[in-house]
Amino acid sequence: MEKSPICTCTGGFFYGLLYIQQTKSRCPMSEIQHLTNEQRFVIAHEGEEAVLAYRLFNNGEKSAIDFTSTFVPPEFRGKGFAEKLVRAGI
């Protein structure tokens, strides 16, 4: 299992058609793991996992990423886990 540290972004910015605005995340300070071999980002918290899955592909001459799914366990929804995963992915 390969891990790499992820930095979160600050401030608002555009990414494609998605606008990400800086918010105060209510997500507990959990380490994000980037599992490159499995093409996913994971936050492990209290025995559960929040996940952002992706696939890499070529878009003409450029490499691109397609976020295929996100999952946050019901008990952790609305606390900033998905936002934290997406920020790590972009």
Side-chain angles (χ1 to χ4, degrees):
M1 178 166 40
E2 184 177 329
K3 296 181 187 179
S4 63
I6 302 299
C7 297
T8 57
C9 301
T10 59
F13 58 93
F14 280 96
Y15 181 77
L17 297 177
L18 176 67
Y19 180 74
I20 304 292
Q21 184 176 4
Q22 180 180 356
T23 59
K24 291 189 177 195
S25 177
R26 294 171 291 177
C27 176
M29 294 303 291
S30 301
E31 181 182 339
I32 298 176
Q33 298 177 2
H34 183 194
L35 307 176
T36 55
N37 293 340
E38 298 175 31
Q39 293 191 332
R40 59 191 205 133
F41 292 90
V42 177
I43 298 173
H45 184 71
E46 295 182 8
E48 300 286 338
E49 286 188 341
V51 179
L52 169 66
Y54 65 90
R55 71 179 183 92
L56 300 174
F57 65 99
N58 288 324
N59 185 8
E61 294 181 11
K62 297 181 180 182
S63 296
I65 187 168
D66 178 19
F67 296 124
T68 57
S69 67
T70 57
F71 174 77
V72 176
E75 59 270 25
F76 302 128
R77 291 179 185 166
K79 297 181 180 176
F81 282 80
E83 177 186 1
K84 193 171 183 180
L85 288 166
V86 170
R87 286 178 182 270
I90 56 175

